[in-house]
Amino acid sequence: MGVTSSPCASCKLLRRRCAKDCIFAPYFPPHDPHKFAIVHKVFGASNINKMLQELPIQQRADAVNSLVYEANARIRDPVYGCVGAISYLQNQISQLEMQLAMTQAEILCIQMQNNQDYPSPNYDNNNYNLPEIQIDNDNNNLQQYLSLLEIINNSN
């Protein structure tokens, strides 16, 4: 920034002359002083300066946006920052997933109760080719049951 235009928000807050090649000027415009003030309060101007200088120019805008977001989160929650917000949202997702699973289970129970009112479907024309199990008290019944389980498991 030149001498004729107003200094950037960082130079204005730090009460220094804004140089033509000021690293803060592109990211902290004079019309948005709060943006730099909050980042400066959390991270400090020298740390921000070091971070920006270590990054390629094309990544600096994204870094400043991340710093502003994290600084705002740190002001709201000094201990956890944005991690606290992430944890809160993850807990909310878990609760909603449990609620969805419970609702789906209730729907399934209702559907099963409604299906009891109708005759069972005929499973004779399925693709499993399951052996018919004769119920008697010999060892052959166990073998038929085990072969049935094996066929069902292999079809899944």
Side-chain angles (χ1 to χ4, degrees):
M1 294 212 148
V3 178
T4 57
S5 63
S6 66
C8 68
S10 63
C11 292
K12 195 181 279 187
L13 182 76
L14 299 173
R15 295 186 178 150
R16 63 182 188 193
R17 185 173 168 262
C18 192
K20 191 174 192 175
D21 60 343
C22 177
I23 195 165
F24 299 120
Y27 314 107
F28 300 104
H31 59 81
D32 195 5
H34 181 70
K35 185 176 177 182
F36 181 77
I38 197 163
V39 173
H40 171 60
K41 182 177 181 179
V42 174
F43 297 106
S46 64
N47 288 330
I48 301 165
N49 188 15
K50 289 175 193 173
M51 284 187 252
L52 291 178
Q53 285 180 348
E54 290 177 5
L55 290 172
I57 293 172
Q58 63 271 18
Q59 293 179 352
R60 290 179 183 174
D62 290 334
V64 167
N65 289 336
S66 295
L67 288 171
V68 170
Y69 182 81
E70 176 65 25
N72 281 316
R74 285 281 169 193
I75 296 298
R76 281 191 307 273
D77 186 353
V79 176
Y80 295 109
C82 65
V83 174
I86 292 168
S87 295
Y88 172 77
L89 292 172
Q90 286 177 334
N91 287 337
Q92 200 171 18
I93 288 171
S94 295
Q95 289 174 354
L96 291 171
E97 284 175 340
M98 280 193 330
Q99 189 178 13
L100 176 63
M102 289 174 57
T103 304
Q104 288 172 334
E106 287 178 23
I107 290 171
L108 185 61
C109 287
I110 292 169
Q111 286 175 343
M112 290 176 69
Q113 287 174 352
N114 288 342
N115 285 342
Q116 287 178 354
D117 296 339
Y118 303 105
S120 298
N122 186 358
Y123 291 109
D124 292 338
N125 296 329
N126 62 17
N127 295 331
Y128 290 119
N129 297 325
L130 299 176
E132 188 174 318
I133 296 177
Q134 302 284 328
I135 298 177
D136 52 26
N137 292 330
D138 62 337
N139 289 336
N140 192 27
N141 193 19
L142 179 62
Q143 292 298 327
Q144 287 179 342
Y145 178 73
L146 293 175
S147 65
L148 175 64
L149 286 176
E150 184 178 314
I151 292 170
I152 290 172
N153 288 334
N154 289 337
S155 67
N156 292 336

